[in-house]
Amino acid sequence: MKRKKRGKSRKKGIPNLTNAILSILKKDRNQTFNYKQIASKLGVNDASSRNQIIKTLAKLAIKEEIQQVDRGKFKAIVNAEYHTGILDISARGSGYVISEDFDEDVFIASNNINKALNGDEVEFYAYKRRKRGKIEGEITNVIKRAKSEYVGVIQIQKNSNYAFVVPDSTKMYKDIFVPISKTLKAEDGDKVLVTLEDWPENADSPYGKVKQVLGKPGEHQTEIHAILADYGLPHGFPHEVEAFANELDTSITESEIAKRRDMRKDLTFTIDPKDAKDFDDALSFKVLDNGLYEIGIHIADVSHYVKEGTLLDDEAFERATSIYLVDRVVPMLPEVLSNNACSLRPHEEKYTFSAVFQINENAEVKHQWFGRTVIYSDARYAYEEAQSVIEQNVTLSAPDSYRDEVQEKSKINYKIPAEVSLTGEAYNTTPELAQAILTLDKLAKIMRKKRMKNGAISFDKVEVKFNLDENNNPEGVFFKTSKDANKLIEEFMLLANKKVAEFIGKQSPKKTFVYRVHDEPDDEKLASLQNVVGRFGYKLNFKDRKSTTASLNNLLKEVVGKKEQNLVDTLAIRSMSKAEYTTHNIGHYGLAFDYYSHFTSPIRRYPDVMAHRLLQHYLDGGKSANEESYEKKCQHSSNMEMLATKAERDSIKYMQIRFMEDHKDQEFIGVISGVTDWGIYVEIISNKCEGMVSVRDMTDDHYAFDQDHYAMVGRSTKTMYQLGDEVVVKVKNTDLVKKHLDFHLIGKATA
């Protein structure tokens, strides 16, 4: 048998050598490189590789794609204008750069991303594609990493001295290489938090080290801590911060009371969620001899305890906000403050910062006062209890002075509606308290009506909540809606926030302050909203601001209780600009206020603490604070608020998937909430859980995405699944780790 002749062995080429060389030269475009330096950066040192580099350099120089500055020394030819922007990477590995220099996002192919990661601030140059004429770009430098820590599952490589962490995020397109010595003894399959340390020029993956072992994937505590860790958010306080807070003097002293307006004798109460642990706002009410109502909005005086420059203040600033997950609150302040010293608990004296108004029966403010106070809370209401008082207009009998007769509680027979779930304080309701609630409710409704008339938008989006057992397993889903009692508190908090901002904002000369602003919506987003809601038969009028807000409010009112409500509410909110903190006031579009700040929740929001400090500084006659310093603090607060919101959404998604795990055999009616070329998204009407039906699983026909009609259309049957259609689905797969829910499509729902 003759042996086949073997061809000459081919030399192994360096993959993408031309692009690699161009990338090296463009990244340091002011430097010159010889072939040895390029070989070093590419991590090659054999003769064959060096020869390939020399030949490629010569070819690129002949084509005038690079410049030979001196013999054997090459430099990039800068024939393109460089830009900066933020990279947004898709799950497929390519991405877009959002840059102020371009009206449209600049497409970046996966081979031109050059080790930039999602969210990074990057430098790039742009060019037009020959075929489509679309603008594309190549990233030449990473200016600033968006994040350096990632959550993922560690894979220990057998019989080796290294591991890889596979990130949970679909936008992280590379696994992270971790030497065994830097794994913190994590076991194979553990979920970990890994920190990026380096990304060598010749390495395919970035290098990192395990910062924290979170636990086994799928376990409740692991996944909740992973959500926080993924956004760089804490789940506990450092020991030294807790110790500092515990050593604070939280007693109420006569010397401090003497510096404040004493309002302890005024009828005062709180209205909060029944499961609330911190009460940072209270209302006081009395009728003055001149017939006006004196209404005090009393806010916990956090700045009395949290002093600038302290360890406690540094920690509060870094957090900037409390985080509300499905099973817990991660507070901005340690418990000794958030749940005790700064919480306006019933039957306790507290230091507060107050906005006190004299208001007539038409809800017009005739006089205002701002300053530090001391109060005594007479009662604590849950929203449900206050709502019952409003709905039934009940006047309850009680002793004239129950504060001194607490020991007689058990002997008093109060007429409390049977359906009210008592918190333990509601039986303190007196005729005076009931009348205060009813009067405040009447005034709140007048104020709300005025806001709506002035162009405010009423976003009363349904909130998804879970009934959890002692092991944090979801037993049921319920929806939180805003009723009169909620709106009563909302209106008076809005009043305080508005009037404080006006008080500072209208002063001359101008003084630095922290505003909560909301810009006008983008025309393109409004047009997109019209396209979607038009599928449901709704029409919007964007002729001017008045018609825009009127038609948006009408839309939000019309969809209440309908199958598409949550979808329309969500899309309407997304069409709006994002509210943010800044020292540059442009007003608040959504509330129709020219001046607005956040003053009423300093226990859970750092901007409110800043507003308190600035207000007191100006009340004391102080000069305008440093604008640049406060603007940086505002930007940080806005960024942290955004991260907290994302974590909260992820925790809801996680709990929805856990809930659906126990309902795999059940069919649900849902609404198509999104259509893409890879499938349709369906939101279940009964519990608001959203999942995806992959187009690959729609096997009764060959379906194609019809972008113009927001639909998936069958090629043979012409069956159309369109945005807003009701369909029947069944759970196919639940992935707690990826927080992904897959559905089987049973078919269209029958009427």
Side-chain angles (χ1 to χ4, degrees):
M1 184 175 178
K2 291 183 178 179
R3 186 178 293 177
K4 290 182 181 179
K5 291 183 179 180
R6 292 183 180 179
K8 292 182 179 179
S9 60
R10 293 183 179 180
K11 293 178 181 177
K12 190 177 180 182
I14 303 173
N16 299 317
L17 180 56
T18 298
N19 284 339
I21 290 174
L22 288 172
S23 179
I24 290 169
L25 296 183
K26 286 171 184 174
K27 187 173 182 180
D28 294 303
R29 54 184 178 274
N30 295 321
Q31 301 293 321
T32 59
F33 293 84
N34 59 31
Y35 77 90
K36 290 181 180 178
Q37 290 169 313
I38 291 173
S40 176
K41 281 189 172 289
L42 293 174
V44 295
N45 59 12
D46 59 289
S48 173
S49 296
R50 288 197 296 271
N51 286 333
Q52 290 177 58
I53 293 170
I54 291 168
K55 288 179 181 178
T56 305
L57 285 169
K59 287 178 183 177
L60 289 171
I62 291 170
K63 291 180 181 179
E64 295 186 350
E65 291 190 46
I66 64 174
Q67 176 185 4
Q68 186 167 204
V69 179
D70 202 353
R71 186 176 180 180
K73 290 186 177 181
F74 297 87
K75 184 180 180 182
I77 295 176
V78 182
N79 56 7
E81 186 179 347
Y82 287 82
H83 310 271
T84 60
I86 303 297
L87 176 64
D88 182 13
I89 287 182
S90 71
R92 300 180 180 185
S94 57
Y96 290 87
V97 173
I98 302 150
S99 174
E100 292 182 357
D101 297 341
F102 296 90
D103 293 331
E104 59 183 290
D105 296 345
V106 179
F107 177 76
I108 310 290
S110 57
N111 62 325
N112 287 330
I113 284 180
N114 294 327
K115 299 183 179 177
L117 300 174
N118 186 62
D120 286 354
E121 182 182 354
V122 297
E123 178 192 74
F124 68 100
Y125 72 89
Y127 53 89
K128 281 193 175 182
R129 284 176 64 180
R130 292 178 182 175
K131 290 183 179 179
R132 298 182 185 177
K134 292 275 188 179
I135 297 176
E136 286 198 13
E138 178 176 343
I139 292 171
T140 53
N141 192 25
V142 175
I143 299 170
K144 185 180 179 182
R145 289 282 188 208
K147 60 186 291 186
S148 60
E149 295 180 350
Y150 290 86
V151 169
V153 175
I154 194 165
Q155 295 178 348
I156 308 290
Q157 305 301 304
K158 292 181 179 179
N159 303 318
S160 66
N161 60 352
Y162 64 90
F164 281 98
V165 172
V166 182
D168 286 355
S169 173
T170 55
K171 294 201 170 193
M172 180 54 174
Y173 57 92
K174 290 289 185 182
D175 296 344
I176 300 163
F177 176 87
V178 181
I180 285 293
S181 60
K182 295 183 177 182
T183 59
L184 273 187
K185 298 183 179 179
E187 297 178 359
D188 186 56
D190 280 349
K191 181 161 281 195
V192 298
L193 176 65
V194 62
T195 302
L196 299 188
E197 291 191 309
D198 187 24
W199 197 337
E201 197 76 44
N202 61 332
D204 184 55
S205 295
Y207 286 22
K209 69 174 181 179
V210 174
K211 183 178 179 181
Q212 185 181 359
V213 179
L214 299 168
K216 300 299 179 185
E219 293 182 357
H220 179 76
Q221 292 298 333
T222 300
E223 295 303 328
I224 292 294
H225 286 170
I227 289 170
L228 292 168
D230 195 37
Y231 293 109
L233 300 171
H235 60 80
F237 284 96
H239 172 73
E240 59 271 21
V241 174
E242 289 271 17
F244 184 94
N246 289 332
E247 290 174 4
L248 290 172
D249 180 6
T250 58
S251 62
I252 306 297
T253 65
E254 289 300 324
S255 60
E256 180 60 31
I257 289 174
K259 301 174 187 176
R260 296 169 177 263
R261 178 172 172 175
D262 191 345
M263 301 187 73
R264 288 176 292 177
K265 292 184 179 179
D266 290 12
L267 184 69
T268 304
F269 55 92
T270 60
I271 304 177
D272 290 281
K274 62 184 176 182
D275 57 351
K277 294 180 180 179
D278 60 339
F279 317 119
D280 53 5
D281 57 79
L283 294 175
S284 66
F285 178 86
K286 69 178 178 182
V287 182
L288 301 176
D289 293 340
N290 60 9
L292 297 176
Y293 303 117
E294 184 178 88
I295 299 166
I297 294 105
H298 306 287
I299 311 303
D301 191 0
V302 171
S303 61
H304 173 74
Y305 301 102
V306 182
K307 302 295 186 183
E308 287 187 89
T310 63
L311 196 66
L312 184 60
D313 184 53
D314 291 345
E315 182 72 18
F317 169 70
E318 285 301 321
R319 293 176 179 235
T321 181
S322 294
I323 306 158
Y324 294 83
L325 304 182
V326 285
D327 67 332
R328 73 193 68 190
V329 176
V330 182
M332 184 180 80
L333 299 172
E335 187 175 350
V336 67
L337 293 177
S338 60
N339 290 358
N340 294 294
C342 295
S343 184
L344 309 184
R345 301 186 299 190
H347 314 306
E348 292 183 8
E349 295 177 341
K350 296 290 180 180
Y351 296 142
T352 45
F353 210 131
S354 305
V356 182
F357 303 104
Q358 291 182 19
I359 300 177
N360 66 16
E361 293 214 355
N362 296 320
E364 296 167 335
V365 175
K366 295 300 181 181
H367 182 267
Q368 63 185 27
W369 178 91
F370 306 107
R372 285 192 153 110
T373 53
V374 59
I375 66 162
Y376 177 95
S377 178
D378 296 291
R380 181 239 161 157
Y381 285 89
Y383 280 121
E384 294 84 354
E385 296 159 349
Q387 184 65 27
S388 181
V389 172
I390 292 168
E391 288 178 359
Q392 301 193 30
N393 200 357
V394 292
T395 301
L396 307 177
S397 60
D400 290 336
S401 179
Y402 61 83
R403 185 181 299 173
D404 298 328
E405 299 178 27
V406 174
Q407 70 275 17
E408 297 294 319
K409 284 179 183 176
S410 59
K411 301 177 184 178
I412 301 170
N413 181 24
Y414 295 111
K415 185 183 177 185
I416 298 290
E419 67 272 18
V420 175
S421 175
L422 297 179
T423 63
E425 298 299 334
Y427 48 74
N428 279 341
T429 301
T430 65
E432 291 81 7
L433 278 164
Q435 193 57 48
I437 290 172
L438 293 171
T439 304
L440 291 169
D441 176 59
K442 181 183 74 172
L443 295 172
K445 284 171 178 168
I446 295 172
M447 290 191 289
R448 184 176 178 84
K449 188 175 181 180
K450 286 180 182 177
R451 278 201 306 112
M452 295 298 113
K453 188 177 180 181
N454 290 336
I457 303 171
S458 177
F459 288 114
D460 290 330
K461 192 175 184 297
V462 173
E463 288 186 56
V464 179
K465 298 288 183 179
F466 297 89
N467 290 316
L468 304 177
D469 65 17
E470 64 277 6
N471 296 316
N472 290 309
N473 296 310
E475 297 182 319
V477 178
F478 66 95
F479 307 129
K480 181 181 174 184
T481 54
S482 186
K483 294 188 177 182
D484 288 341
N486 305 77
K487 292 173 182 177
L488 182 163
I489 292 298
E490 179 186 19
E491 287 304 321
F492 282 99
M493 296 307 114
L494 289 176
L495 177 65
N497 289 333
K498 173 188 173 183
K499 289 298 183 180
V500 165
E502 276 184 1
F503 175 68
I504 304 299
K506 290 184 176 182
Q507 291 188 20
S508 182
K510 179 187 171 185
K511 289 183 170 62
T512 297
F513 198 59
V514 174
Y515 296 98
R516 178 71 168 178
V517 303
H518 185 221
D519 205 352
E520 294 187 5
D522 182 84
D523 290 340
E524 288 185 13
K525 289 183 178 180
L526 288 176
S528 177
L529 175 65
Q530 173 62 80
N531 286 338
V532 175
V533 301
R535 306 290 168 190
F536 300 97
Y538 302 109
K539 289 186 178 180
L540 297 172
N541 182 356
F542 301 137
K543 183 180 178 182
D544 52 37
R545 174 170 177 165
K546 189 174 181 180
S547 61
T548 298
T549 55
S551 60
L552 281 172
N553 278 327
N554 189 52
L555 169 69
L556 296 168
K557 187 177 180 181
E558 283 190 51
V559 299
V560 171
K562 296 183 180 177
K563 67 181 188 297
E564 67 268 20
Q565 180 182 355
N566 202 46
L567 170 62
V568 173
D569 284 350
T570 301
L571 292 175
I573 290 171
R574 287 178 184 171
S575 72
M576 296 289 106
S577 300
K578 288 183 179 179
E580 60 182 3
Y581 298 105
T582 180
T583 57
H584 309 296
N585 181 44
I586 59 168
H588 197 293
Y589 178 85
L591 296 172
F593 289 160
D594 291 331
Y595 296 89
Y596 190 64
S597 182
H598 271 172
F599 173 80
T600 53
S601 295
I603 291 178
R604 63 184 179 91
R605 295 187 306 225
Y606 194 80
D608 301 54
V609 179
M610 291 192 286
H612 282 212
R613 287 173 178 162
L614 287 171
L615 176 56
Q616 187 61 55
H617 176 68
Y618 297 140
L619 288 171
D620 292 338
K623 294 180 180 179
S624 183
N626 184 283
E627 184 178 301
E628 184 180 355
S629 172
Y630 271 93
E631 183 61 26
K632 287 179 180 178
K633 291 178 181 179
C634 285
Q635 290 176 4
H636 171 74
S637 297
S638 296
N639 291 338
M640 294 307 293
E641 178 189 44
M642 178 186 67
L643 294 178
T645 300
K646 288 181 177 179
E648 289 159 16
R649 287 175 183 163
D650 281 1
S651 77
I652 292 170
K653 181 73 175 177
Y654 160 76
M655 195 58 75
Q656 286 175 324
I657 295 168
R658 280 191 65 184
F659 178 76
M660 294 303 291
E661 274 191 323
D662 296 328
H663 297 80
K664 287 187 175 180
D665 297 326
Q666 188 174 342
E667 291 185 357
F668 293 93
I669 296 176
V671 177
I672 295 179
S673 55
V675 186
T676 67
D677 56 359
W678 58 84
I680 60 176
Y681 288 87
V682 178
E683 182 185 84
I684 295 171
I685 295 172
S686 62
N687 56 35
K688 310 298 182 192
C689 295
E690 185 182 63
M692 192 190 82
V693 177
S694 172
V695 68
R696 291 175 298 189
D697 293 334
M698 299 170 69
T699 54
D700 63 315
D701 200 345
H702 180 81
Y703 285 88
F705 175 47
D706 183 340
Q707 189 171 1
D708 293 334
H709 294 90
Y710 298 92
M712 200 69 79
V713 183
R715 181 177 293 175
S716 301
T717 62
K718 303 302 178 186
T719 301
M720 179 183 285
Y721 289 99
Q722 193 171 24
L723 188 74
D725 285 353
E726 286 191 5
V727 293
V728 180
V729 293
K730 198 173 182 179
V731 175
K732 175 190 175 186
N733 182 52
T734 56
D735 189 336
L736 289 173
V737 177
K738 297 291 185 185
K739 298 173 189 64
H740 195 74
L741 183 60
D742 290 310
F743 288 144
H744 279 300
L745 180 64
I746 307 300
K748 290 195 175 185
T750 55

